[in-house]
Amino acid sequence: MNENIYSVSQLNYSVRQLLEGQLGLVWLTGEISNFSQPVSGHWYLTLKDENAQVRCAMFRMKNMRVAFRPQNGMQVLVRANVSLYEPRGDYQLIIESIHPAGEGLLQQQFEALKIKLAAEGLFAQNLKKNLPHFAKTVGIVTSPTGAALQDILNILQRRDPSLKIIIYPTAVQGKDAANEIVQMIELANLRNEADVLIVGRGGGSLEDLWCFNEETVARAIFRSSIPVISAVGHETDVTIADFVADVRAPTPSAAAELVSRNQQELFQQLQYKRQRLEMALDRLFNEKQQHLQRFLLRLQNRHPSARLLAQRQQTGQLEHRLNSAIRRLLDKNHYKLTALCERLEKNPLPYLVRQQNHHIVQLATNLDFALKRLVVSKQTSLSALCGKLDGLSPLKVLARGYSIAETEQGETISSVNQVETGDKIKTRLRDGVIVSKVI
């Protein structure tokens, strides 16, 4: 029996849990009475009808977002949690949002449609289309006489005069506005002229903007194959079209800035990129020129004609040294002969003279024979050296049917390890070059 006995606190706590758990969030209409706002900033009021009343509270953090001041006698629509104030045992409502009765009904319809479309996936982020990076044509679905259109046109003209603009005129307020907006969105998709669509109007009351909360408009935006920017009202205005559109712009002017390019910024970016491109080209040209100079130098150093020239220079040096040696020997013998002639002339004895003359003739004969033999020997050595040099010439090797294999870079291939399958190689023959591919 003791298990069924509650304290007052326990009872009030249990009743509060029961009320909040069973009823939760409810919508309620009624007339305001006993409205008050103490220094805490919270609102306290009573909602009543002809037969009953209920106490209500709306905390400061919630009522700060309410756009009007509640007054006694005002008919309102509230969304509230059913609860219990435990210290006094008073049943009460904790208000989450409050609207004037007429606007409140619209707000209730707004919330219901929002929940429905969200459940169907019309607000899914993964289904939203990206805006084109550079739009060439912009379609505007709005009133042709509205201030919003002029704001959009002024910004587009200032930022990007080259942008093509197509206006799809429609009413943006009234009972026929929703159908006209749907028709213009469908017409824009049928004609497929625009890269992006701006759908919207200027600010106004909830009733003024209501056509953008219609389900038909939301579904037309969702079906559009052209990316849609919703630009309805001011920044604080929120419509169903904002949730369905691919991008929401806080104002029509902001939508114009989203689709347009700042010509001055583009020009500066182009100038900067042009300078970078010119610097890159100059740097690339210098690098390639240096590579070419290095390759030319390597080619000159490794070309067979360069080697042949070096060997010719060496042969010339050897020939010069041989001629010099012969001249020195002749000069030396001539000096000796001159000395002997002088001594002979000074000798008074004819016999000695004749003897010496005979000896001189013999020496001259020997000298001439020795010189001829030396010259023949040197010429024979020179011919042998020239023959060997000519035999070592790459051109002679090529003339005998041999060839020189080189890589594309001009390096002589002496091993199969220097090439891989697919490489191009050059084969130098006596009368030309063959380019082939390693398979």
Side-chain angles (χ1 to χ4, degrees):
M1 181 176 179
N2 292 336
E3 294 179 357
N4 296 326
I5 299 176
Y6 289 89
S7 67
V8 176
S9 298
Q10 291 173 336
L11 177 63
N12 286 350
Y13 175 78
S14 298
V15 172
R16 183 174 70 83
Q17 294 293 322
L18 183 63
L19 289 174
E20 293 179 353
Q22 293 295 323
L23 294 178
L25 199 63
V26 298
W27 287 90
L28 184 71
T29 60
E31 178 185 334
I32 295 177
S33 64
N34 301 322
F35 177 80
S36 65
Q37 182 179 11
V39 293
S40 63
H42 307 316
W43 288 353
Y44 298 99
L45 54 99
T46 299
L47 283 179
K48 64 179 182 177
D49 58 19
E50 296 178 353
N51 301 314
Q53 63 180 20
V54 61
R55 294 181 182 274
C56 304
M58 190 173 191
F59 298 127
R60 184 170 62 89
M61 296 304 295
K62 297 291 185 180
N63 65 44
M64 288 176 62
R65 296 195 292 266
V66 178
F68 69 97
R69 176 75 175 180
Q71 302 290 334
N72 289 331
M74 180 181 292
Q75 290 288 333
V76 293
L77 172 70
V78 301
R79 186 176 62 172
N81 285 298
V82 181
S83 184
L84 182 82
Y85 184 57
E86 294 182 35
R88 291 201 300 266
D90 289 340
Y91 149 67
Q92 64 178 3
L93 299 180
I94 305 300
I95 298 175
E96 294 291 323
S97 63
I98 183 170
H99 310 276
E103 185 177 329
L105 292 175
L106 291 178
Q107 187 66 31
Q108 190 174 13
Q109 295 175 19
F110 174 89
E111 295 294 339
L113 181 59
K114 179 181 174 182
I115 294 172
K116 174 185 176 182
L117 297 182
E120 294 182 20
L122 269 69
F123 304 162
Q125 290 296 323
N126 62 320
L127 298 180
K128 296 188 181 299
K129 296 174 284 295
N130 296 324
L131 297 184
H133 188 60
F134 289 115
K136 296 181 180 179
T137 305
V138 176
I140 305 174
V141 180
T142 190
S143 170
T145 59
L149 177 60
Q150 297 304 316
D151 292 341
I152 293 174
L153 294 178
N154 290 336
I155 291 176
L156 294 182
Q157 179 63 29
R158 173 174 55 84
R159 286 175 58 87
D160 192 355
S162 65
L163 198 61
K164 184 179 178 181
I165 301 170
I166 300 175
I167 299 173
Y168 299 95
T170 176
V172 291
Q173 185 175 341
K175 64 178 182 179
D176 297 327
N179 290 333
E180 292 186 20
I181 293 172
V182 171
Q183 292 174 3
M184 290 299 103
I185 294 175
E186 292 176 346
L187 177 62
N189 280 269
L190 180 63
R191 293 167 62 175
N192 197 26
E193 301 168 312
D195 301 316
V196 62
L197 286 179
I198 297 176
V199 180
R201 55 155 288 164
S205 64
L206 182 60
E207 291 84 354
D208 295 337
L209 306 179
W210 190 251
C211 59
F212 294 97
N213 291 320
E214 295 285 356
E215 183 174 354
T216 56
V217 174
R219 295 192 182 278
I221 293 175
F222 183 76
R223 290 194 304 269
S224 174
S225 59
I226 303 173
V228 176
I229 299 176
S230 175
V232 181
H234 303 299
E235 187 171 357
T236 56
D237 297 323
V238 180
T239 64
I240 295 295
D242 294 333
F243 294 105
V244 182
D246 300 298
V247 175
R248 175 188 181 259
T251 63
S253 299
E257 292 186 357
L258 282 175
V259 300
S260 60
R261 298 166 291 180
N262 190 318
Q263 294 292 315
Q264 185 63 30
E265 291 180 1
L266 288 176
F267 180 75
Q268 292 177 354
Q269 292 177 5
L270 182 62
Q271 289 291 99
Y272 173 69
K273 290 181 178 179
R274 178 181 177 182
Q275 292 175 357
R276 291 188 59 187
L277 179 60
E278 290 177 350
M279 293 173 61
L281 288 175
D282 290 341
R283 190 162 53 247
L284 179 62
F285 178 77
N286 291 333
E287 291 177 358
K288 296 301 182 183
Q289 194 173 36
Q290 292 175 2
H291 290 168
L292 178 60
Q293 293 297 330
R294 287 198 294 269
F295 289 148
L296 289 176
L297 182 61
R298 290 174 61 185
L299 180 62
Q300 292 173 358
N301 293 335
R302 299 188 179 188
H303 198 277
S305 61
R307 298 179 182 177
L308 184 59
L309 178 61
Q311 292 173 353
R312 286 177 179 173
Q313 291 176 348
Q314 185 178 9
T315 302
Q317 292 176 356
L318 292 174
E319 185 178 3
H320 177 71
R321 290 173 59 187
L322 178 60
N323 291 333
S324 298
I326 293 173
R327 282 196 301 269
R328 285 196 300 271
L329 181 59
L330 290 173
D331 291 340
K332 181 179 179 180
N333 291 332
H334 180 70
Y335 175 77
K336 288 181 178 180
L337 179 60
T338 302
L340 290 173
C341 290
E342 290 178 355
R343 289 178 62 189
L344 182 60
E345 290 176 357
K346 294 178 181 179
N347 193 339
L349 298 176
Y351 175 77
L352 293 177
V353 170
R354 286 191 301 269
Q355 188 179 12
Q356 291 298 328
N357 283 338
H358 177 74
H359 183 63
I360 289 173
V361 171
Q362 186 65 37
L363 289 175
T365 302
N366 293 339
L367 177 61
D368 183 60
F369 179 76
L371 286 175
K372 288 180 180 180
R373 188 172 55 190
L374 179 62
V375 170
V376 170
S377 176
K378 296 299 182 181
Q379 286 179 343
T380 302
S381 299
L382 178 61
S383 297
L385 290 174
C386 290
K388 290 180 180 180
L389 182 61
D390 187 53
L392 294 174
S393 173
L395 298 179
K396 287 291 185 179
V397 175
L398 296 178
R400 292 199 298 272
Y402 291 95
S403 61
I404 300 175
E406 300 177 344
T407 65
E408 280 192 291
Q409 292 75 25
E411 296 181 359
T412 302
I413 299 174
S414 59
S415 171
V416 294
N417 295 326
Q418 291 181 247
V419 297
E420 297 180 355
T421 302
D423 288 354
K424 288 185 178 180
I425 64 173
K426 296 186 295 184
T427 305
R428 189 175 300 279
L429 304 174
R430 175 181 59 82
D431 55 353
V433 175
I434 297 174
V435 178
S436 55
K437 186 175 182 181
V438 178
I439 62 173

